[in-house]
Every structure is written in structure tokens, then in C-alpha cells.
Amino acid sequence: MRAANARSTWLMSFAEVPAPAFELVCFPHAGGGGSAFGTWQQHTERLRVSAVRLPGRERRFAEPAIDDLTALVDSIAGALGDVTERPYALYGHSMGALVAFEVARELRRRHLPLPGALFVAGCEAPDIVDFERVHDLPREDLVAWLRATDGLDPEAFEYPELIDLMLPTIRADLGAAERYSYQPEPPLPVAIHLLRGRQDHQVEVAGDSGWGTHTSLACTVTDFDGGHFFVRDHEREVVALIETELCGEGTTR
């Protein structure tokens, strides 16, 4: 495999994968970027790992972040038309899970092929999720909240100037999630797999956290040791689980 460049304004991949069984499109947490998934490709040869490229970060840093989730979903769905022509799945973490879910519903409204599965991590179901209001906290209070929730890599707190550059985007993302209002629609005919950290205090770790009502197919749950960002310590296992769910048993890296 070789490293691949950005495929479009809204989508990036990390390697060329000959004839992948599925493309996995990943959605980052609030304030995060697609590069968070940059090492996932090294764990699979059957999936093509891609990520959405959001405004306000990484190569799109000069663009203002979108602080309205409906507008964000509309833009992303409009950019995934080519992806839906091949087998694909969606994965989202925390706010990214909410965005991935709404993107799947928007693709259905546009009568486009739906994903083979929806993987959601670190987020309760969209009709019950209640994000803590923090987006408009004073700077020091918001930074303290980010530190307490592991919302940034620990190294970032050593560079106050970097945090100041990131805060407008973080505030926009958090505000978009906090203002989200679920609108009822029929369940998706897409299997949902929920991934959770057993020590995640931001998610109700019981049952299926409400996700079962949003699919007419199966809703399965896998719990991992760890907190809200458990994926950081279980990356290989998470990719293996997704690959197995989509492709069946086989060889993972």
C-alpha cells in the first residue's frame, strides 16, 4: 500500500487498497479531525479506511467550522455520492456517531444506497443523548473540561497557543452537538453496532443505550475497558471487530 492524497474537499483516505470489500468512512469526535484514523489502515487489508475532512481543522483550517449539525450533514451527504456506489460502512465517535447516523438518514432521503452497517462509539442514541452545555464556557473552564474528559491529547495542553487556535473549532463542534434536535423517522434498514468504554461516564453503559430503536435490523453492543476515548487503547481490536462484522472471519493485521 502507498499513502494516498486527499480524495476531495470532504473525504480523505490513507492508502491505496486493491479491491477492498468495503470502504469504512469515519467521523471524528467534536474538535477532532480525520487524521485521528490515520493508523487504522495498517490493521486491515480488506477495508479501505477513509475519513471525512471537516472545515476548521487540518488542511481546511482556514475555513470556519460549521456550527450547525444539519448543515454539516447536508454537506457531507452531498460529498458521498461516489462512495455509495460501492459497498461501504460508516463509523463515528461521540459527536461523530451522531453525524454518521444523520448522514445515513440523509442518504436515505436522497434515495442513495445505504451503508452496509453503522458503527457508533461513545454516544447514546440520538433521541436520548443530552450533551452537557460547555461550548460557551470561559476559556479556562472549557480547557479544564477538555482536560477532565480527555478531549485533547495530553501533549496539547503544553502549548497554550495551539489550544487557542483550536478552541473556535472545538466550540463550533460542541455547539452543533448541543443544539442538535432529533426528528423522528422510521428505523434505518441498517445494522447498528455500538462500541462503548466500560468506564465512560458520558454514556449510559446499559442495554444498547437506546440505539436498538433506530434500526429495523440487528443492534449489537461491544464493551471495552476504558473511558470515553477507549478506542485509543483498542485500535487494533476495534478495526478487527469492524472488519469481521462486514467481511466475516479472516486475516487482520
Side-chain angles (χ1 to χ4, degrees):
M1 298 181 184
R2 62 179 178 82
N5 294 322
R7 293 164 54 190
S8 72
T9 301
W10 285 94
L11 193 65
M12 62 192 297
S13 294
F14 306 102
E16 295 292 345
V17 181
F22 280 84
E23 180 163 2
L24 180 67
V25 181
C26 301
F27 297 74
H29 64 278
S35 61
F37 305 100
T39 55
W40 283 33
Q41 190 65 71
Q42 67 189 22
H43 303 305
T44 176
E45 293 181 340
R46 295 192 288 174
L47 304 179
R48 181 182 190 178
V49 180
S50 302
V52 294
R53 303 177 67 229
L54 302 177
R57 68 217 78 197
E58 300 171 337
R59 293 191 182 184
R60 303 184 68 184
F61 181 79
E63 303 174 47
I66 298 175
D67 63 0
D68 179 81
L69 197 138
T70 299
L72 180 62
V73 165
D74 186 69
S75 294
I76 295 172
L80 294 184
D82 291 345
V83 172
T84 66
E85 296 176 359
R86 303 174 295 276
Y88 74 102
L90 305 180
Y91 170 93
H93 188 97
S94 196
M95 171 189 161
L98 199 59
V99 176
F101 169 76
E102 286 295 349
V103 165
R105 298 211 302 178
E106 178 60 24
L107 292 172
R108 177 172 63 180
R109 295 182 203 111
R110 299 183 184 206
H111 306 290
L112 292 170
L114 295 178
L118 172 63
F119 298 88
V120 291
C123 188
E124 293 174 328
D127 55 327
I128 63 175
V129 68
D130 184 17
F131 290 102
E132 179 183 1
R133 179 166 178 168
V134 295
H135 81 277
D136 54 358
L137 287 175
R139 180 196 184 281
E140 294 308 317
D141 292 344
L142 180 54
V143 170
W145 181 85
L146 290 168
R147 188 188 296 273
T149 58
D150 293 325
L152 291 174
D153 290 333
E155 295 80 3
F157 296 102
E158 300 176 11
Y159 303 96
E161 298 85 359
L162 175 61
I163 290 180
D164 287 338
L165 289 173
M166 299 168 64
L167 280 181
T169 292
I170 293 172
R171 290 186 187 277
D173 286 0
L174 293 173
E178 293 162 15
R179 289 186 293 270
Y180 169 75
S181 178
Y182 171 76
Q183 300 300 316
E185 291 183 15
L188 286 165
V190 174
I192 295 178
H193 197 120
L194 171 63
L195 294 79
R196 295 183 303 212
R198 293 187 179 93
Q199 292 77 43
D200 186 352
H201 301 299
Q202 300 183 48
V203 176
E204 176 63 35
V205 187
D208 61 15
S209 300
W211 281 99
T213 62
H214 296 283
T215 174
S216 59
L217 301 180
C219 180
T220 54
V221 182
T222 302
D223 291 325
F224 295 84
D225 288 329
H228 191 59
F229 291 100
F230 66 91
V231 178
R232 293 171 179 168
D233 297 322
H234 298 281
E235 181 179 293
R236 182 185 298 273
E237 297 97 314
V238 168
V239 175
L241 180 152
I242 293 172
E243 183 180 281
T244 299
E245 287 290 310
L246 293 173
C247 307
E249 296 291 341
T251 301
T252 56
R253 293 183 172 189

